[in-house]
Structure formats: structure tokens, C-alpha cells
Amino acid sequence: MAVILGIESSCDETSASICIDGEIKSNIIAGQAIHAKYGGVVPELASRAHQLHIIPTVDEAIQQAKIHKNDIDAVAFTRGPGLLGSLLVGTSFAKSFALARQIPLIEVNHMQAHILAHFIEEPKPSFPFLCLTVSGGHTQIVLVKDYFDMELLGQTLDDAAGEAFDKTAKILNLPYPGGPLIDKYARDGNPDAYKLPEPQIPELNFSFSGLKTAILYMVQAEEKKNPDFLAENMADVCASVQQRIVSILLNKLKKATKQTGVLDIAIAGGVSANSGLRQGLLEMGKQYGWNVFIPKFEYCTDNAAMIAIAGYHKYLQKEFVGQDIAPLARMHV
Ligand code: KG4
Ligand code: ZN
């Protein structure tokens, strides 16, 4: 039997999870509401909150899994990418725990873990598959050849898709994080109400900064005509923005399937919780004969279950690290 404790602390969520023989038994997430009033994550406040949350979160994960901490065989933690101060809290905790209990330590790449969240539950994709990983910090198309053998085929040249949602929300005077709110408003709106540009970016790369500027100019022009423009048209604006971001993502994914011939397609990361993206991917999958894999909502945004499952597969391969390991703000898949 293999009991893995997973720890995630890369951004503003402190999370701990217990995985027993590849099955997730608990996934506790402590969020940090404090950032909302600043309109984005404040790194110094994030690391202090992780410090407060880490021990109660781990205790709760152990309790909910109905095990004792002596039963844990290995501890897996997010090494990066992420905010260094935040990563340091999870890394230091994991190192101390492993040292005290004399158990192996496993480092996990956060971006790989988002993709490996697909191996938590059935249906699991088979290798090779393509994964569109879309979060607050990243937008990538990855060719996944094996659990830890991944090739980056394309990425954003500026803002990430989550950032495009969040920065647009700021223009629309919506609080942080704006992605889920745009999603909510978009449900009642007309996606064709406002025409927004689709950037022409070569190969499988993305760019979202031009779109953000186009939205800003559009809102400013409309507000000159009608100061209540946003209040009166929020649903239509959100639906139009969401449709454009989703179409940019899906068109590149279509290009990637043509380039690789791979028709097993997954999405991962916080933006994969977006209902427009989920719906659009299902429709496109039907049209082009893709096998589509969409994670459960709780495994889309940052969580430790994905770290624990990645850790479990490294545990099987005996891929352990020493106490001299340090977190990294930047890491590639
Ligand atoms: O993966 P994640 O939890 O954290 C990072 O590693 O960045 O992703 C967070 C991002 C935020 O930008 C948030 O606005 C976005 O995911 N997000 C959404 C939705 N839920 C979360 N964006 C659009 N629609 C959603 N439903
Ligand atoms: Zn993430």
C-alpha cells in the first residue's frame, strides 16, 4: 500500500491531499479572501496566509482520509512554478515532515500536476494526448507522451488566458478573480453582441494583450455614449469576451490536432472550469471526432489532489529528491 501526502502552495491556495494507492481520499483547500480588495494576489500576504493555513489544512486532510500521520509513506509537494514566497512554505513544510518521519520526499511540477489531474478518476486518457493547460499564469498546448514526458508545443507570448479573464473583469469593474464572474454573467448574454478581434499569432502560440486593449477601448467608447453602458450590458459584454477567448483557445487546439494527428484532447488548469470552454470543446470534439477529457470542477483550479496523484506516480517510479531541494519560481512542463 502507498499512502501519499500531497502539498500545494504555489499561489493563493493552501491545499493538502491524501492519496492511497492512486485513490484520492481527501483534498482540503484553504483559500485566501484577503487578495480580493487588492484586485490580485499580493505575494507577501499570500506567503503569510500559507504559513497560517498549512498545518490545519494538512491535519484536516489526514483526518478526512481516516489515517494517522504515521501511515504516510511519502510526501509530495509543488516545487514550482509559482510565487517563491508561497512555494517556500509548502516546500519547507514537506521537507520537515519527510525528515521528521524519515520518509521519501517527492517534487512535483505544478503544470504537470494540472495535466495529471486527469488520472484521478475515470475516464483516464491514454498516451499520447494533447492538453490545453489554461490557468492564471500559463496558457500552453502540451503533447503528453507519458506521465512525466511532456512536450510544450505552444504557449502565450504575453498574458495567460486566466489573466485575460481577470484583467477584462477589472476593466468591467468586477472583483478579483474575475474569471468565474465573467463566466456567470456570460450565461445570460449574447456572445455575438460585440465584435472582438482574433489575434493572428503564428504556430501554436497565443497572445491576449491585444484583446484586452480592444475591450478597454470598446468599453470607453460605449461609456462616452452611455455612462450606464456596463451596468446595462454586462451579460452581453461578458458573453462576447468569453466567446472570443474560448474561440482563440479552441482554434489553436484544432491546429494542434492537425499538426500532430493526436485526437485525444484534454483541458486543465483554472480556466478549464469555464463553462463556455467546456461546452465549446465538447461541440468541437463531436464535430472533429475527438476523444475529449474535461476534469471535474474541483480538480481544475489549484488543489493538492493533483499533486498527490502526480506524487503517487513518481513514488511508483521511486523518483525521490533530497533535503537540498529548493523551490523554483519558473519551471517548464
Ligand atoms: O489554475 P489556477 O487555479 O491557478 C493558477 O495556477 O493560476 O487558475 C486560476 C485562474 C484565474 O485566472 C481565474 O480567473 C481562472 O483560473 N478561472 C476561470 C474560471 N474559474 C477560474 N476563468 C474563467 N472561467 C471560470 N469559470
Ligand atoms: Zn494552477
Side-chain angles (χ1 to χ4, degrees):
M1 195 165 84
V3 182
I4 313 293
L5 166 64
I7 304 285
E8 156 65 27
S9 75
S10 66
C11 190
D12 60 343
E13 245 100 35
T14 318
S15 183
S17 167
I18 297 290
C19 171
I20 303 183
D21 287 338
E23 222 178 281
I24 297 300
K25 299 292 184 188
S26 61
N27 181 34
I28 308 298
I29 302 169
Q32 303 181 359
I34 190 163
H35 306 289
K37 66 177 173 196
Y38 298 98
V41 177
V42 183
E44 177 66 25
L45 296 179
S47 35
R48 290 184 198 191
H50 282 303
Q51 195 67 46
L52 278 178
H53 293 159
I54 187 101
I55 289 177
T57 304
V58 170
D59 280 346
E60 204 180 329
I62 291 173
Q63 244 177 41
Q64 204 182 86
K66 298 193 172 57
I67 58 160
H68 188 271
K69 64 176 185 292
N70 294 344
D71 300 328
I72 296 169
D73 295 307
V75 50
F77 68 98
T78 304
R79 185 184 185 192
L83 301 170
L84 204 56
S86 291
L87 290 165
L88 269 168
V89 178
T91 305
S92 305
F93 176 89
K95 284 165 76 168
S96 319
F97 193 91
L99 185 66
R101 308 222 58 78
Q102 290 293 300
I103 56 175
L105 186 61
I106 299 167
E107 56 122 15
V108 173
N109 176 318
H110 181 88
M111 299 311 294
Q112 289 190 347
H114 268 302
I115 296 172
L116 296 175
H118 283 283
F119 293 90
I120 293 175
E121 284 179 348
E122 300 294 341
K124 296 171 184 166
S126 46
F127 303 114
F129 64 94
L130 286 171
C131 189
L132 171 72
T133 315
V134 272
S135 70
H138 295 81
T139 298
Q140 305 181 331
I141 294 182
V142 179
L143 177 61
V144 187
K145 300 172 190 168
D146 205 340
Y147 290 108
F148 302 103
D149 182 7
M150 304 188 186
E151 188 188 339
L152 183 63
L153 300 182
Q155 62 184 327
T156 184
L157 306 176
D158 41 57
D159 292 347
E163 250 179 313
F165 273 106
D166 296 338
K167 287 182 177 172
T168 302
K170 216 170 187 174
I171 296 171
L172 306 181
N173 297 324
L174 298 174
Y176 177 87
L181 283 170
I182 291 186
D183 191 351
K184 200 170 135 227
Y185 280 109
R187 276 171 214 168
D188 304 318
N190 169 13
D192 300 315
Y194 302 97
K195 249 193 112 43
L196 296 165
E198 174 153 8
Q200 301 303 312
I201 308 298
E203 296 165 8
L204 295 176
N205 294 320
F206 301 88
S207 164
F208 290 99
S209 66
L211 178 63
K212 179 187 63 195
T213 312
I215 295 164
L216 177 66
Y217 289 165
M218 186 272 281
V219 170
Q220 284 175 342
E222 293 289 344
E223 278 187 327
K224 256 191 202 148
K225 292 183 258 168
N226 171 12
D228 295 329
F229 167 73
L230 274 183
E232 290 170 11
N233 299 285
M234 189 59 93
D236 283 352
V237 173
C238 288
S240 303
V241 167
Q242 180 167 299
Q243 169 166 274
R244 176 49 79 215
I245 295 176
V246 168
S247 77
I248 292 172
L249 295 172
L250 292 180
N251 285 339
K252 287 288 177 172
L253 209 40
K254 190 165 78 186
K255 196 169 175 181
T257 62
K258 287 202 177 128
Q259 198 169 302
T260 58
V262 175
L263 295 179
D264 284 17
I265 316 291
I267 51 172
V271 180
S272 62
N274 182 267
S275 51
L277 179 59
R278 295 165 88 94
Q279 184 62 27
L281 181 62
L282 285 173
E283 283 165 15
M284 214 174 223
K286 239 185 226 161
Q287 192 180 347
Y288 294 101
W290 300 348
N291 269 328
V292 166
F293 298 88
I294 298 178
K296 253 193 182 168
F297 282 110
E298 61 185 301
Y299 302 134
C300 288
T301 45
D302 289 349
N303 67 87
M306 66 185 196
I307 305 303
I309 197 79
Y312 170 68
H313 287 282
K314 281 201 170 175
Y315 183 83
L316 296 179
Q317 297 176 11
K318 294 199 167 44
E319 258 198 63
F320 307 138
V321 291
Q323 282 287 330
D324 55 348
I325 193 90
L328 296 170
R330 287 172 174 273
M331 264 178 110
H332 297 293
V333 288

